[in-house]
């Protein structure tokens, strides 16, 4: 086991974590980024980004590569290690990883993002990889010329439904509310696409089949009536589940597991900050994740300077 000491540890290398790294390195903080999977987080599973300032349309992979290059140019140290547990009681925060290393720092930024939230219905787990998916970009080609169901009413659900029409014969968009929550421009595209049919006030109660998905059981919330609906696949886009399992009973979380912070993006523990999709906020977008990453780095710098007794002249 090796001990490594830093001014700042950043957990997560998505847009929030990479932006935090860029700003922290510019501030001169000795910084390391720990990432358990791959750089970019959930955004790399999308097909296009059309609402990031300065880019009318770009691929998530290209945008993330540019962020990564900028951070590396500034000297970013990045290790692919999964956090197993953390100690936050003292001034020095300690991070223990799956590789047997432990890292100490004065400040900690949590930017671990989230993963697709599941419906929690019968058949969902059983058919993952056999007709149930949470990523259209990953799995759409497997559903060429099939009729498929998508679940959700936000931006991601509509963007993915539109992408799926490039492969599927027909896409049924199922949403539990009476209206969609996505941006108007996306809703307009949805309504113009003849391959998509919208089914509102409806929930998926069960996913069934033999060796693969053959259909879903639907419930109309207005009439409380059930019906079986044949389809060759189910794509689920109902939001994110925050990656905060390792923080249970350590920092304050809301009912959904997102991290609560004050206006300085600081948790209930001094020197521990959170930003991006893992934080309790209203807008889960790349641009807000980047903005929060910049702020978290700034407030981390202020905290580190306070601990070190550094004062501005």
């Amino acid at each position: 086991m090796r001990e490594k000491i830093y001014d700042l540890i950043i957990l997560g290398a998505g847009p929030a974590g990479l932006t935090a790294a860029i700003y922290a390195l510019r501030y001169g903080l000795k910084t390391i980024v720990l990432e358990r999977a791959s750089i970019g987080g959930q955004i790399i599973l999308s097909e296009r980004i059309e609402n990031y300032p300065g880019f009318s349309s770009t691929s998530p992979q290209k945008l993330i590569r540019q962020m990564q290059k900028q951070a590396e140019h500034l000297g970013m140290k990045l290790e692919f290690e999964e956090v197993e547990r953390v100690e936050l009681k003292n001034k020095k925060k300690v991070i223990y990883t799956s590789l047997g290393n432990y890292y100490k720092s004065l400040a900690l930024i949590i930017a671990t993002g989230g993963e697709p939230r599941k419906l929690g219905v019968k058949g969902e787990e059983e058919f993952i990889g056999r007709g149930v998916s949470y990523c259209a970009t990953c799995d759409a080609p497997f559903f060429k010329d099939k009729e498929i169901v998508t679940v959700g009413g936000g931006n991601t659900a509509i963007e993915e439904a539109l992408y799926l029409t490039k492969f599927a014969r027909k896409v049924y968009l199922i949403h539990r509310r009476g209206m969609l929550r996505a941006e108007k421009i996306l809703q307009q595209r949805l309504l113009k696409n003849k391959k998509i049919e919208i089914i509102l006030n409806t929930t998926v109660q069960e996913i069934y089949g033999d060796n693969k998905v053959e259909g879903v059981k639907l419930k109309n919330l207005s009439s409380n009536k059930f019906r079986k609906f044949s389809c060759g696949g189910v794509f689920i886009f109902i939001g994110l589940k925050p990656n905060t399992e390792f923080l249970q009973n350590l920092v304050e979380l809301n009912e959904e597991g997102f991290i609560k912070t004050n206006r300085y993006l600081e948790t209930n523990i001094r020197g521990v900050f959170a930003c991006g999709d893992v934080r309790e906020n209203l807008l889960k977008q790349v641009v807000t994740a980047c903005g929060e990453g910049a702020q978290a780095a700034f407030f981390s710098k202020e905290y580190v300077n306070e601990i070190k007794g550094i004062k501005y002249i």
Side-chain angles (χ1 to χ4, degrees):
M1 180 180 285
R2 293 172 293 165
E3 176 185 85
K4 304 176 183 182
I5 302 176
Y6 295 86
D7 292 326
L8 172 66
I9 294 173
I10 300 171
L11 304 182
L18 289 174
T19 305
I22 290 168
Y23 275 75
L25 291 165
R26 288 176 61 86
Y27 291 137
L29 296 181
K30 184 179 180 183
T31 303
I32 186 170
V33 180
L34 301 179
E35 169 58 52
R36 70 173 183 175
S38 58
I39 294 176
Q42 287 296 309
I43 191 61
I44 61 173
L45 300 179
S46 299
E47 183 197 15
R48 305 293 296 173
I49 296 177
E50 297 181 335
N51 55 4
Y52 191 85
F55 297 86
S56 298
S57 178
T58 187
S59 74
Q61 293 81 6
K62 181 179 179 181
L63 185 61
I64 290 298
R65 279 198 303 272
Q66 290 299 110
M67 292 183 187
Q68 180 183 354
K69 285 180 181 179
Q70 187 175 2
E72 289 174 343
H73 178 73
L74 292 166
M76 177 180 69
K77 182 174 178 59
L78 172 67
E79 297 290 348
F80 289 96
E81 300 186 39
E82 183 170 5
V83 176
E84 288 196 333
R85 65 185 179 93
V86 298
E87 293 178 1
L88 306 175
K89 293 180 181 179
N90 302 314
K91 282 187 177 180
K92 285 188 178 179
K93 286 62 180 170
V94 187
I95 309 297
Y96 296 88
T97 75
S98 57
L99 295 185
N101 296 320
Y102 69 98
Y103 300 82
K104 289 184 178 181
S105 68
L106 296 176
L108 173 67
I109 293 178
I110 304 167
T112 48
E115 56 190 39
R117 191 175 294 279
K118 296 180 179 180
L119 284 173
V121 300
K122 183 179 178 182
E124 181 178 12
E125 293 285 345
E126 178 185 350
F127 291 110
I128 290 176
R130 291 189 291 153
V132 170
S133 175
Y134 305 89
C135 176
T137 309
C138 310
D139 298 328
F142 298 114
F143 296 85
K144 190 173 179 61
D145 297 325
K146 292 185 178 181
E147 292 192 353
I148 57 177
V149 160
T150 62
V151 185
N155 284 355
T156 300
I158 291 183
E159 288 169 350
E160 301 291 69
L162 289 166
Y163 179 72
L164 285 164
T165 60
K166 297 180 179 180
F167 302 88
R169 182 170 68 251
K170 183 80 173 181
V171 176
Y172 296 91
L173 179 70
I174 296 173
H175 185 45
R176 61 192 176 97
R177 301 187 187 278
M179 60 185 297
L180 302 174
R181 296 179 291 106
E183 296 171 354
K184 289 297 181 183
I185 190 169
L186 291 175
Q187 293 191 42
Q188 290 168 0
R189 291 180 193 170
L190 188 77
L191 294 171
K192 289 179 181 178
N193 195 309
K194 295 180 179 179
K195 277 191 169 185
I196 298 177
E197 183 176 328
I198 305 170
I199 304 175
L200 299 175
N201 295 308
T202 300
T203 59
V204 174
Q205 297 291 302
E206 179 185 344
I207 302 170
Y208 64 85
D210 190 3
N211 293 318
K212 59 183 180 180
V213 169
E214 296 176 5
V216 293
K217 185 178 181 180
L218 302 179
K219 179 183 179 181
N220 184 292
L221 300 180
S222 299
S223 65
N224 285 324
K225 291 183 177 179
F226 295 86
R227 63 165 167 153
K228 285 190 172 183
F229 192 90
S230 296
C231 65
V234 181
F235 284 78
I236 301 166
F237 311 108
I238 56 172
L240 288 176
K241 175 187 175 185
N243 293 321
T244 53
E245 293 86 355
F246 65 99
L247 295 170
Q248 297 296 329
N249 302 316
L250 293 174
V251 301
E252 189 176 359
L253 309 175
N254 69 9
E255 292 180 356
E256 296 179 306
F258 292 95
I259 300 172
K260 290 186 174 185
T261 67
N262 59 23
R263 63 176 179 161
Y264 305 108
L265 303 191
E266 192 172 34
T267 69
N268 59 305
I269 298 177
R270 288 226 63 202
V272 179
F273 303 84
C275 58
D277 286 354
V278 76
R279 192 179 81 87
E280 182 183 51
N281 55 26
L282 295 176
L283 189 61
K284 307 294 186 188
Q285 294 288 302
V286 177
V287 67
T288 51
C290 291
E292 289 185 5
Q295 292 181 74
F298 172 80
F299 294 125
S300 294
K301 178 258 297 183
E302 295 290 285
Y303 175 79
V304 169
N305 287 346
E306 177 187 330
I307 295 299
K308 289 183 174 182
I310 298 174
K311 296 182 179 180
Y312 296 110
I313 298 175

